[in-house]
């Protein structure tokens, strides 16, 4: 079961996320306080149309506006069903009842020149769990001094190939991590180096830190795998078992990497620089087109990945988080919630088998779960100052969670979560002893649960095992708008490659993957989550859904939707503001716009890939496609100017552009645009321009 099997290689360090913020849409709840746009939302982009909101400004004036402090009005929210989970820097001021300036923002936000890059910094191996001594001692010695990274080669010329890309620029549940390489390097030796699967946000958690607010108090978990085909002949395979330690003896399929990122801080942040000092720092940064990356702690585990194991999610017995009172001393996010809730915990239970001689194992993954208490001076490069928040004594039990103090419950053990160093070495995976008594209780259907007691005001069960765990391996995808008819649907989506794939939900019951519906009846629902549109009401998509079946989605309308799968007796909240990303199953879909007819610009409009005619001028290409990226993602123009027609009239550059926007490059770091929001119709238009330049 992936990270629960051995050997486990545990790591910790920093990760830099150089996200570009002009498309974040975090200030659409704010309004212009004066001028011709007074009362309108401060929007930089029409996300559904993939176009900038220029307000009639020239490009130069717009860029200057994006990086200049702007006084705005912060009204009470007009739509109670809209999501409140914003990612803005720090807390927003309280809404104003009067139409006056009560906030100052940078429209382009805190990292306008970010290039969407990911880079690991000093991510060191903290411990190796290898109780069966599978690894040769020489390999173990190398691993113990190795660093994890996104580097494409060893040595000083190695380049990070990591990218962070949001499918929906506003909603925080859909961040994608792409990279050409995930590498574990010791000196000049790559112990493994290969292209992993795409990692998607799991369990976005705004209650991760008891001392940081806004997105700085948030965290998320990710998981990816490197298939065996990428690892042929590499040293890591000498330390991996050829088969799983189960009766099925599933063959090794690769390696899995599960990690949590948390404590995001920028070098210029509103905690270290307050009021005018923050504005002065940002003005100085933008004067030199500097970046203000997020630096987060990253902690995780690498382990064997066996055939049939899940790709994007740690699986096992699902312990669902229960709301509990805000602990004494909590100064982090509350998001207006009456109680606190942590992410789910996953427990792996493998019984003893006298026939196959399987080693019994009970393990609990708490990597993304337990909250922190930041105690630093807001310098993001300094670590070791983010201990765990003391919730009290937490124990793992099996029995009756409704009566946690019953003498009939069996306590497996207390979780020593305050020892950060020791738990970093173990990957925050807690192993417990097994006995036949526990096995009997499991067979009786008694659940595992976490019970918290102590002086922090929490004396209750905080996690309870639920039989059913639903999720999607394709939880973030793109679709193409089909305007042929108002009832157009599709079952094909772009995930992590040039081709399209179906999307579906799968389920696990008591830790075992379901090959049927497991006795449940399922429904599919979706919410419109298009930024600045009208997100809110849950809409039923399908009754009697069968797990594993392709999902069919209406695509006549461009924009964003979030699809969720529930049992029919437990429908999702009617308002998206109440949807819980910690417990709800998720597929985020962005439907890219194809609602403009570009046939007038083609020599042969009927050709699958036409060449541009005389009407396809530079002004057309720029206004229809490139202006969006020039204004919203200026880091691209720091490499090659997207608004310079002389550059793109060169056949050599046209060939390069045509290659970078091709679907063949979709999953690679060289792909343009990095945001992956170029629709089929606009890709055809841009390619037609390139062909016109190459073959005049």
């Amino acid at each position: 079961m992936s990270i629960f099997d051995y050997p486990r290689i545990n790591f910790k360090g920093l990760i830099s996320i150089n996200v570009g913020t002009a498309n974040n849409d975090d200030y659409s709840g704010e309004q212009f306080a004066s001028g011709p746009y007074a009362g309108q939302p401060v929007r930089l982009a029409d996300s559904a149309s993939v176009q900038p909101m220029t307000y009639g400004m020239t490009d130069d004036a717009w860029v200057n506006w994006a990086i200049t402090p702007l006084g705005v009005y912060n009204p009470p929210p007009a739509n109670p069903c809209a999501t409140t989970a914003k990612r803005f820097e720090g807390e927003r001021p309280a809404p104003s009842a009067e139409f006056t300036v009560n906030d100052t923002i940078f429209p382009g936000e805190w990292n306008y020149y970010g290039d969407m890059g990911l880079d690991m910094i000093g991510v060191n191996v903290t411990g190796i769990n290898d109780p069966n001594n599978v690894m040769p001692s020489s390999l173990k010695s190398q691993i113990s001094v190795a660093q994890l990274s996104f580097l494409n080669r060893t040595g000083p010329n190695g380049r990070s190939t990591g990218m962070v890309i949001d499918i929906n620029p506003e909603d925080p549940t859909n961040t994608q991590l792409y990279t050409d390489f995930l590498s574990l390097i010791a000196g000049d030796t790559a112990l493994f180096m290969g292209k992993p699967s795409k990692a998607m946000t799991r369990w976005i958690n705004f209650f991760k830190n008891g001392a940081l607010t806004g997105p700085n108090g948030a965290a998320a978990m990710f998981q990816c795998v490197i298939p065996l085909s990428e690892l042929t002949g590499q040293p890591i395979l000498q330390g991996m078992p050829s088969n799983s330690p189960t009766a099925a003896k599933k063959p090794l399929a690769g390696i899995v990497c599960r990690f949590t990122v948390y404590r995001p801080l920028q070098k210029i942040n509103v905690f270290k620089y307050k009021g005018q000092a923050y504005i002065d720092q940002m003005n100085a940064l933008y004067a030199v087109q500097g970046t203000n990356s997020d630096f987060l702690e990253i902690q995780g585990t690498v382990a064997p990945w066996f055939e049939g194991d899940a790709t994007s999610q740690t699986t096992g017995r699902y312990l669902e988080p229960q709301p509990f009172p805000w602990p004494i001393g909590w100064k982090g996010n509350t998001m207006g919630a009456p109680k606190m809730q942590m992410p789910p915990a996953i427990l792996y239970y493998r019984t003893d088998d006298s026939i196959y001689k399987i080693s019994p194992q009970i393990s609990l993954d708490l990597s993304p779960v337990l909250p922190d208490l930041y105690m630093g001076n807001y310098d993001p490069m300094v670590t070791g100052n983010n201990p765990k928040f003391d919730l009290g004594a937490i124990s793992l039990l099996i029995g009756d969670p409704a009566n946690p103090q019953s003498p009939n419950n069996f306590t497996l053990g207390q979780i020593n979560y305050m020892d950060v160093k020791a738990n970093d070495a173990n990957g925050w995976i807690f192993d417990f002893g097994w006995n036949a008594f526990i096995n009997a209780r499991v067979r009786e259907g008694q659940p595992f649960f976490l019970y918290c007691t102590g002086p922090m005001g929490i004396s209750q069960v905080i996690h309870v095992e639920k039989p059913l765990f639903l999720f999607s391996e394709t939880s973030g995808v793109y679709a193409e708008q089909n305007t042929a008819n108002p009832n157009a649907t599709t079952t094909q989506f772009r995930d992590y490659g040039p081709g399209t794939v179906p999307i579906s939900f799968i389920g696990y019951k008591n830790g075992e993957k379901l090959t049927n519906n497991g006795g449940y009846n399922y429904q599919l629902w979706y919410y419109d989550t298009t930024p600045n549109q009208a997100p809110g009401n849950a809409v039923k998509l399908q009754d009697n859904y069968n797990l594993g079946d392709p999902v069919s989605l209406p695509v006549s309308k461009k924009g964003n939707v979030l699809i969720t799968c529930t049992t029919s007796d437990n429908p999702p909240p009617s308002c998206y503001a109440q949807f819980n990303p910690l417990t709800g199953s998720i597929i985020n879909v962005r439907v890219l716009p194809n609602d403009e007819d570009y046939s007038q610009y083609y020599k042969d409009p009927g050709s699958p890939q036409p060449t541009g005619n005389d009407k396809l001028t530079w002004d057309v290409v720029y206004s229809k496609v490139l202006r969006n990226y020039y204004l919203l993602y200026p880091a691209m123009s720091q490499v090659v100017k997207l608004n310079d027609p002389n550059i793109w009239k060169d056949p050599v550059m046209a060939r390069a552009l045509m290659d970078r926007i091709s679907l063949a490059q979709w999953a690679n770091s060289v792909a343009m645009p990095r945001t992956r929001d170029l629709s089929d119709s606009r890709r055809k238009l841009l390619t037609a321009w390139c062909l016109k330049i190459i073959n005049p």
Side-chain angles (χ1 to χ4, degrees), residues 485-564:
N485 68 74
N487 298 313
T489 63
T490 188
T491 59
Q492 293 296 308
F493 303 83
R494 186 155 289 113
D495 182 23
Y496 194 47
T500 56
V501 298
I503 61 175
S504 64
F505 289 93
I506 60 176
Y508 281 71
K509 188 174 182 179
N510 298 127
E512 297 295 328
K513 186 177 181 180
L514 290 171
T515 56
N516 51 41
N517 284 345
Y520 299 92
N521 182 269
Y522 301 97
Q523 296 174 332
L524 299 181
W525 298 77
Y526 72 92
Y527 302 91
D528 184 339
T529 56
T530 305
N532 293 288
Q533 304 302 311
N537 296 326
V539 178
K540 186 181 289 186
L541 182 61
Q542 182 181 337
D543 275 318
N544 302 313
Y545 174 72
N546 292 314
L547 294 179
D549 282 359
V551 174
S552 180
L553 182 72
V555 288
S556 62
K557 179 184 175 183
K558 61 193 177 184
N560 291 82
V561 299
L562 183 147
I563 308 171
T564 188

Side-chain angles (χ1 to χ4, degrees), residues 351-374:
T351 63
D352 180 53
D353 191 310
S354 59
I355 297 175
Y356 294 100
K357 305 299 182 185
I358 302 170
S359 300
Q361 183 177 349
I362 300 174
S363 300
L364 181 67
D365 181 19
L366 296 182
S367 171
V369 177
L370 300 167
D372 305 321
L373 182 65
Y374 183 67

